[in-house]
Coordinates of all heavy atoms in Angstrom, one line a residue:
A1 N 93.5 103.2 89.6 CA 94.3 102.4 90.5 C 94.0 102.7 91.9 O 93.9 101.8 92.8 CB 95.8 102.5 90.2
L2 N 93.9 104.0 92.2 CA 93.5 104.4 93.5 C 92.2 103.8 93.9 O 92.0 103.2 95.0 CB 93.3 106.0 93.5 CG 93.1 106.6 94.9 CD1 93.7 108.0 94.9 CD2 91.6 106.7 95.2
T3 N 91.2 103.8 93.0 CA 89.9 103.1 93.3 C 90.1 101.6 93.6 O 89.4 101.1 94.5 CB 88.9 103.4 92.2 OG1 88.7 104.8 92.0 CG2 87.6 102.7 92.4
V4 N 90.9 101.0 92.8 CA 91.1 99.5 93.0 C 91.7 99.3 94.4 O 91.2 98.4 95.2 CB 92.1 99.0 92.0 CG1 92.6 97.6 92.4 CG2 91.5 98.9 90.6
I5 N 92.7 100.1 94.8 CA 93.3 99.9 96.1 C 92.3 100.2 97.3 O 92.2 99.4 98.2 CB 94.5 100.9 96.3 CG1 95.6 100.4 95.3 CG2 95.1 100.9 97.7 CD1 96.7 101.4 95.1
V6 N 91.5 101.3 97.2 CA 90.6 101.6 98.3 C 89.4 100.6 98.3 O 88.9 100.3 99.4 CB 90.1 103.0 98.3 CG1 91.3 104.0 98.5 CG2 89.3 103.4 97.1
D7 N 89.0 100.1 97.2 CA 88.0 99.0 97.2 C 88.5 97.7 97.9 O 87.8 97.1 98.6 CB 87.5 98.7 95.8 CG 86.7 99.8 95.2 OD1 86.3 100.7 95.9 OD2 86.4 99.7 93.9
L8 N 89.8 97.4 97.6 CA 90.4 96.2 98.2 C 90.6 96.4 99.7 O 90.4 95.5 100.6 CB 91.7 95.9 97.6 CG 91.6 95.3 96.2 CD1 93.0 95.3 95.5 CD2 91.0 93.9 96.2
L9 N 90.9 97.7 100.1 CA 91.1 98.0 101.5 C 89.8 97.9 102.2 O 89.7 97.3 103.3 CB 91.6 99.5 101.6 CG 91.9 100.0 103.0 CD1 93.0 99.3 103.7 CD2 92.3 101.5 102.9
E10 N 88.7 98.3 101.6 CA 87.4 98.2 102.2 C 87.0 96.8 102.4 O 86.4 96.4 103.4 CB 86.3 99.0 101.4 CG 84.9 99.0 101.9 CD 84.8 99.8 103.2 OE1 85.5 100.8 103.4 OE2 83.9 99.5 104.0
K11 N 87.2 96.0 101.4 CA 86.8 94.6 101.4 C 87.7 93.7 102.3 O 87.2 92.9 103.1 CB 86.8 94.0 100.0 CG 86.3 92.6 99.9 CD 86.1 92.2 98.5 CE 85.5 90.8 98.4 NZ 85.3 90.3 97.0
Y12 N 89.0 93.9 102.3 CA 89.9 93.0 103.0 C 90.7 93.7 104.2 O 91.3 92.9 105.0 CB 91.0 92.4 102.1 CG 90.3 91.6 101.0 CD1 90.2 92.1 99.7 CD2 89.8 90.4 101.2 CE1 89.7 91.4 98.7 CE2 89.2 89.6 100.2 CZ 89.1 90.1 98.9 OH 88.6 89.4 97.9
G13 N 90.7 95.0 104.3 CA 91.4 95.6 105.3 C 92.9 95.5 105.1 O 93.4 95.1 104.1
Q14 N 93.7 95.9 106.1 CA 95.1 95.8 106.1 C 95.6 94.8 107.1 O 94.9 94.6 108.1 CB 95.8 97.2 106.4 CG 95.5 98.3 105.4 CD 96.3 99.5 105.7 OE1 97.5 99.5 105.6 NE2 95.6 100.6 105.9
G15 N 96.7 94.3 106.9 CA 97.2 93.3 107.9 C 98.4 92.6 107.4 O 98.8 92.8 106.3
G16 N 98.8 91.7 108.3 CA 100.0 90.9 107.9 C 101.2 91.6 108.5 O 101.4 92.8 108.6
N17 N 102.1 90.7 108.9 CA 103.4 91.2 109.5 C 104.3 91.7 108.4 O 104.4 91.2 107.3 CB 104.1 90.0 110.2 CG 105.0 90.5 111.2 OD1 105.3 91.7 111.4 ND2 105.6 89.5 111.9
C18 N 105.0 92.8 108.7 CA 105.9 93.4 107.7 C 107.3 92.8 107.8 O 108.2 93.3 107.1 CB 105.9 94.9 108.0 SG 104.3 95.7 107.8
M19 N 107.5 91.9 108.7 CA 108.9 91.3 108.9 C 108.8 89.8 108.9 O 107.7 89.2 109.2 CB 109.4 91.8 110.3 CG 109.6 93.3 110.4 SD 110.3 93.7 112.0 CE 112.0 93.2 111.7
E20 N 109.9 89.2 108.5 CA 109.9 87.8 108.4 C 110.2 87.1 109.8 O 109.9 86.0 110.0 CB 110.9 87.3 107.4 CG 110.6 87.6 106.0 CD 111.6 87.2 105.0 OE1 112.6 86.6 105.3 OE2 111.4 87.6 103.8
S21 N 110.6 88.0 110.7 CA 110.9 87.4 112.0 C 109.6 87.2 112.8 O 108.6 87.5 112.3 CB 111.8 88.4 112.8 OG 111.1 89.6 113.2
H22 N 109.8 86.7 114.0 CA 108.6 86.5 114.8 C 108.0 87.7 115.5 O 107.0 87.7 116.1 CB 108.9 85.4 115.9 CG 109.2 84.1 115.3 ND1 108.2 83.3 114.7 CD2 110.3 83.4 115.2 CE1 108.8 82.2 114.2 NE2 110.1 82.2 114.5
M23 N 108.8 88.8 115.4 CA 108.4 90.1 116.0 C 107.2 90.6 115.2 O 107.3 90.7 114.0 CB 109.5 91.1 116.0 CG 109.1 92.4 116.6 SD 110.5 93.6 116.6 CE 110.3 94.4 115.1
A24 N 106.1 91.0 115.9 CA 105.0 91.5 115.2 C 105.2 93.0 114.9 O 105.5 93.8 115.7 CB 103.7 91.4 116.0
F25 N 105.1 93.3 113.6 CA 105.3 94.7 113.2 C 104.4 95.0 112.0 O 104.6 94.4 110.9 CB 106.8 94.9 112.8 CG 107.0 96.3 112.3 CD1 107.0 97.4 113.2 CD2 107.3 96.6 111.0 CE1 107.2 98.7 112.7 CE2 107.5 97.9 110.5 CZ 107.5 98.9 111.4
T26 N 103.4 95.8 112.2 CA 102.5 96.2 111.1 C 102.4 97.7 111.0 O 102.7 98.4 112.0 CB 101.1 95.6 111.4 OG1 100.6 96.1 112.6 CG2 101.1 94.1 111.4
Y27 N 101.9 98.2 109.9 CA 101.7 99.6 109.8 C 100.7 99.9 108.7 O 100.3 99.0 108.0 CB 103.0 100.4 109.5 CG 103.7 100.0 108.3 CD1 103.4 100.5 107.0 CD2 104.8 99.0 108.3 CE1 104.1 100.1 105.9 CE2 105.4 98.6 107.2 CZ 105.1 99.2 105.9 OH 105.7 98.8 104.8
H28 N 100.3 101.1 108.6 CA 99.3 101.5 107.6 C 100.1 102.0 106.4 O 101.1 102.6 106.6 CB 98.4 102.6 108.2 CG 97.7 102.2 109.4 ND1 96.7 101.2 109.4 CD2 97.9 102.4 110.7 CE1 96.3 101.0 110.7 NE2 97.1 101.7 111.5
N29 N 99.5 101.8 105.2 CA 100.3 102.1 104.0 C 100.0 103.4 103.4 O 98.9 103.9 103.5 CB 100.0 100.9 103.0 CG 100.7 99.7 103.5 OD1 101.9 99.5 103.4 ND2 99.9 98.8 104.0
S30 N 100.9 103.9 102.6 CA 100.8 105.1 101.8 C 101.3 104.7 100.4 O 102.1 103.9 100.2 CB 101.6 106.3 102.3 OG 101.2 106.6 103.6
F31 N 100.7 105.4 99.4 CA 101.0 105.1 98.0 C 101.2 106.4 97.2 O 100.5 107.4 97.4 CB 99.9 104.3 97.4 CG 99.5 103.1 98.1 CD1 98.6 103.1 99.1 CD2 100.1 101.9 97.8 CE1 98.3 101.9 99.8 CE2 99.8 100.7 98.4 CZ 98.8 100.7 99.5
L32 N 102.2 106.4 96.3 CA 102.3 107.4 95.3 C 101.8 106.7 94.0 O 102.4 105.7 93.6 CB 103.8 107.9 95.1 CG 104.4 108.7 96.2 CD1 105.9 108.9 96.0 CD2 103.7 110.0 96.3
I33 N 100.8 107.2 93.4 CA 100.2 106.6 92.2 C 100.2 107.6 91.1 O 99.7 108.7 91.2 CB 98.8 106.2 92.5 CG1 98.7 105.3 93.8 CG2 98.2 105.4 91.3 CD1 97.3 105.2 94.3
A34 N 100.9 107.2 90.0 CA 101.0 108.1 88.9 C 100.8 107.4 87.5 O 101.1 106.3 87.4 CB 102.4 108.8 88.9
D35 N 100.3 108.2 86.6 CA 100.3 107.8 85.2 C 100.9 108.9 84.4 O 101.5 109.9 84.9 CB 98.9 107.3 84.7 CG 97.9 108.4 84.8 OD1 98.2 109.6 84.6 OD2 96.7 108.1 85.0
R36 N 100.8 108.9 83.1 CA 101.3 110.0 82.2 C 100.7 111.3 82.4 O 101.2 112.4 82.2 CB 101.2 109.6 80.7 CG 102.1 108.5 80.3 CD 101.8 108.2 78.8 NE 102.4 107.0 78.3 CZ 103.6 107.1 77.6 NH1 104.2 108.2 77.4 NH2 104.1 105.9 77.2
K37 N 99.4 111.3 82.9 CA 98.7 112.6 83.0 C 98.4 113.1 84.4 O 98.2 114.3 84.6 CB 97.3 112.4 82.3 CG 97.5 112.2 80.8 CD 96.2 112.1 80.2 CE 96.5 111.9 78.7 NZ 95.4 111.3 77.9
E38 N 98.4 112.2 85.4 CA 98.2 112.7 86.8 C 98.8 111.8 87.8 O 99.3 110.7 87.5 CB 96.6 112.8 87.0 CG 96.0 111.4 87.0 CD 94.4 111.5 87.2 OE1 93.9 112.7 87.2 OE2 93.8 110.5 87.4
A39 N 98.9 112.4 89.0 CA 99.5 111.7 90.2 C 98.6 111.9 91.4 O 98.0 112.9 91.6 CB 100.9 112.2 90.4
W40 N 98.6 110.9 92.3 CA 97.8 110.9 93.5 C 98.7 110.4 94.7 O 99.6 109.6 94.5 CB 96.6 110.0 93.4 CG 95.6 110.4 92.5 CD1 95.5 110.3 91.1 CD2 94.4 111.1 92.9 NE1 94.4 110.9 90.6 CE2 93.6 111.4 91.7 CE3 93.8 111.5 94.1 CZ2 92.4 112.0 91.7 CZ3 92.6 112.2 94.1 CH2 91.9 112.4 92.9
V41 N 98.4 111.0 95.8 CA 99.0 110.4 97.1 C 97.8 109.8 97.8 O 96.7 110.5 98.0 CB 99.6 111.5 98.0 CG1 100.1 110.9 99.3 CG2 100.8 112.2 97.2
L42 N 97.9 108.6 98.2 CA 96.9 107.9 99.0 C 97.5 107.4 100.3 O 98.6 106.8 100.3 CB 96.4 106.6 98.2 CG 95.5 105.6 99.0 CD1 94.2 106.3 99.4 CD2 95.3 104.4 98.1
E43 N 96.8 107.8 101.4 CA 97.3 107.4 102.7 C 96.2 106.8 103.5 O 95.0 107.2 103.3 CB 97.8 108.7 103.5 CG 99.1 109.2 102.8 CD 99.6 110.5 103.4 OE1 98.9 111.2 104.2 OE2 100.8 110.7 103.2
T44 N 96.5 105.8 104.3 CA 95.5 105.0 104.9 C 95.7 104.9 106.4 O 96.8 105.1 106.9 CB 95.5 103.5 104.4 OG1 96.8 102.9 104.8 CG2 95.4 103.5 102.8
S45 N 94.6 104.6 107.1 CA 94.7 104.4 108.6 C 93.6 103.3 108.8 O 92.4 103.7 108.8 CB 94.4 105.7 109.3 OG 94.4 105.4 110.7
G46 N 94.0 102.1 109.0 CA 93.0 101.0 109.0 C 92.3 101.0 107.7 O 92.9 101.0 106.6

C-alpha cells in the first residue's frame, strides 16, 4: 500500500483544496499504514 501511494504521488503529485470554502488551503499528507504483520508511517513533502 505504501508503494501504491508513493507511485501515485510520483505520477500525480499532491494538490486540491482541503476546504469546501473559497479559501485556498492545502497541505502535505502523512499516513499510518498497517496490516496484521507490520506498520509504516509515510510522510510527504510535495
Side-chain angles (χ1 to χ4, degrees):
L2 186 151
T3 299
V4 167
I5 294 167
V6 299
D7 287 350
L8 291 166
L9 181 63
E10 182 69 28
K11 187 171 182 178
Y12 299 105
Q14 296 189 60
N17 201 357
C18 300
M19 299 182 73
E20 292 179 6
S21 71
H22 294 291
M23 182 178 93
F25 179 71
T26 61
Y27 60 85
H28 305 285
N29 289 285
S30 296
F31 304 87
L32 292 171
I33 308 166
D35 61 30
R36 290 178 188 262
K37 296 184 176 157
E38 66 182 9
W40 289 81
V41 175
L42 169 62
E43 296 180 337
T44 67
S45 179

